Amino acid sequence: MQPKPPEIFARDDEWQYLAKFAERTGTRPKLGVVSGRRRQGKTFLLVSLAQQSGAFYFSATQATERDSLTLFSAALAEHLGTSAPFSFDSWDAAIKQLFAIFAERRELVVIDEFPYLSKVSPALPSIIQREIDRAVSTNAPVSLLLCGSVMSVMGRLLAGNAPLRGRAVLEMVLRPFDFRLAADYWGTTDRRLAAMTHAIVGGTPAYLPFVEGDVCEGLGDFDDWVRRTVLNPNKTLFREARYLLGEQVEARDTAMYQSVLAAVATGNCTRGAIASHVGRKVTDIGHYLNVLEDCHLLRREPDVFRPSRSVFRVCEPLIHDVSDTVLTCYSGVGFDGSLAREGDVRAVGLAQLYG
């Protein structure tokens, strides 16, 4: 099994499962699906795995089907070291050739940002299903990993009557670090400060480089740190909540999703309370709640006082912060670019810590 590179923080279990999946053993095809919201380190993990195992790695882009096929053909030719590039006129031809080549080479195939491809080529999952089934009947040992960040799309790949349902042997969701891992990652030894930091930025690995080394130096620096990072209109984290939502949901309904998240963040946690807050009937918000759950932006929990009911919680602290504090104190962060008031900053941390 390939050893985990030292530059990868934590993710020991994830690496173990991925490295085992990449091993060239057996005579049957293997399909794996890796998903998770952006900035959790999926691509970093998969690129490291590909480099160590000699896998073919292809990262899709937002492009037309023809352009995607051209990019795929060039990447495949480069990996194989062929002088002449491949020329595929359809994904049907491309996937057939891909399975034929790697059944012989017994190398792992990684396709990253798969939702970009399936969006413009809806038949692609069905094509992959057909080739996997053929590989099963011929004992062709092809190992294919599909990866993506659009949780609503990745979740449907293996659900219900989807073509790939029942074909995957690995289904991994990369989640943010928990409280203890996040404290180690941020280099915070003070438990109270670690809890307050986690309440603001959670455990998403990419947020540390986003602040460019500006780590909170102590409890006395906490308010200033939040103001100069999360609540600073000139910093990336200030708009991160908006970007997270925009990447996961249909553009035409963004306002409703924002309203649903804001309702939950401000304490309206039951279906009835959420519907009342957004001015809709309870039956009208079911779709929005389901999508936000699929995207891991909301989670459903049983109501401890009423077992027959459930309540909703915001999963991502940054979304909770923006909905609960920034929107209600927006004059504090100002359209003129001024920063939030100290009392507003402290309210964010306390609200997140003590609920």
Side-chain angles (χ1 to χ4, degrees):
M1 185 181 298
Q2 298 291 338
K4 189 186 78 169
E7 60 269 20
I8 297 178
F9 178 83
R11 303 298 192 200
D12 295 340
D13 289 344
E14 291 88 344
W15 179 266
Q16 180 180 351
Y17 284 111
L18 288 171
K20 183 174 179 59
F21 185 89
E23 289 180 343
R24 303 172 189 179
T25 59
T27 59
R28 292 176 62 85
K30 295 188 294 185
L31 172 67
V33 175
V34 180
S35 60
R37 294 202 320 265
R38 290 201 184 279
R39 308 178 190 22
Q40 304 306 322
K42 299 183 301 300
T43 294
F44 187 48
L45 269 178
L46 294 177
V47 168
S48 299
L49 180 70
Q51 290 173 343
Q52 287 211 6
S53 64
F56 168 55
Y57 174 85
F58 173 69
S59 181
T61 60
Q62 288 182 306
T64 64
E65 181 176 82
R66 181 179 294 276
D67 286 344
S68 294
L69 282 166
T70 300
L71 293 171
F72 178 81
S73 303
L76 182 59
E78 181 180 0
H79 177 79
L80 298 176
T82 59
S83 55
F86 292 91
S87 179
F88 300 121
D89 59 1
S90 68
W91 279 111
D92 186 82
I95 298 300
K96 277 183 182 177
Q97 186 69 31
L98 183 76
F99 270 67
I101 291 172
F102 287 95
E104 173 127 6
R105 293 175 66 96
R106 298 177 67 92
E107 293 173 347
L108 174 65
V109 176
V110 180
I111 300 180
D112 202 356
E113 302 294 1
F114 184 75
Y116 289 156
L117 300 180
S118 62
K119 182 178 181 179
V120 295
S121 307
L124 187 52
S126 295
I127 294 170
I128 293 174
Q129 174 228 324
R130 183 196 64 203
E131 294 306 314
I132 288 175
D133 291 349
R134 286 178 177 174
V136 169
S137 64
T138 59
N139 288 325
V142 180
S143 298
L144 173 63
L145 268 179
L146 304 178
C147 180
S149 301
V150 183
M151 298 300 295
S152 56
V153 174
M154 298 303 293
R156 288 196 297 267
L157 278 181
L158 306 176
N161 296 320
L164 295 176
R165 178 175 171 79
R167 269 78 179 180
V169 298
L170 176 69
E171 185 178 1
M172 178 183 295
V173 179
L174 221 63
R175 301 185 184 278
F177 296 143
D178 62 22
F179 163 73
R180 290 178 177 81
L181 278 177
D184 291 341
Y185 184 66
W186 283 81
T188 306
T189 55
D190 184 292
R191 294 176 66 87
R192 183 182 177 193
L193 179 61
M196 294 173 70
T197 302
H198 190 265
I200 296 296
V201 293
T204 296
Y207 292 167
L208 180 56
F210 276 10
V211 300
E212 301 178 295
D214 186 1
V215 178
C216 185
E217 298 177 357
L219 292 172
D221 181 48
F222 182 76
D223 288 350
D224 286 337
W225 176 74
V226 174
R227 280 187 291 163
R228 65 179 182 258
T229 55
V230 179
L231 297 183
N232 186 341
N234 301 307
K235 294 293 185 178
T236 304
L237 283 179
F238 180 77
R239 293 172 179 82
E240 177 67 5
R242 184 191 309 168
Y243 297 152
L244 278 175
L245 185 61
E247 289 167 352
Q248 298 294 338
V249 303
E250 304 97 323
R252 66 181 182 275
D253 286 333
T254 300
M256 179 53 66
Y257 286 109
Q258 288 175 336
S259 295
V260 171
L261 284 171
V264 178
T266 52
N268 301 282
C269 300
T270 65
R271 286 179 178 269
I274 297 168
S276 177
H277 183 90
V278 302
R280 295 285 186 93
K281 297 178 180 178
V282 172
T283 53
D284 293 340
I285 63 169
H287 168 72
Y288 301 101
L289 292 172
N290 290 337
V291 171
L292 290 171
E293 277 191 272
D294 291 342
C295 298
H296 296 173
L297 297 178
L298 282 184
R299 68 174 181 272
R300 190 195 312 247
E301 300 175 347
D303 188 329
V304 295
F305 299 108
R306 299 176 179 176
S308 61
R309 287 190 180 185
S310 58
V311 295
F312 293 88
R313 307 291 184 197
V314 177
C315 299
E316 173 54 51
L318 275 181
I319 288 180
H320 199 299
D321 298 342
V322 171
S323 300
D324 194 26
T325 302
V326 176
L327 292 182
T328 57
C329 304
Y330 208 86
S331 61
V333 290
F335 289 104
D336 61 352
S338 59
L339 300 184
R341 298 183 298 272
E342 181 174 345
D344 296 337
V345 174
R346 187 168 297 277
V348 178
L350 293 178
Q352 284 290 80
L353 270 175
Y354 305 116

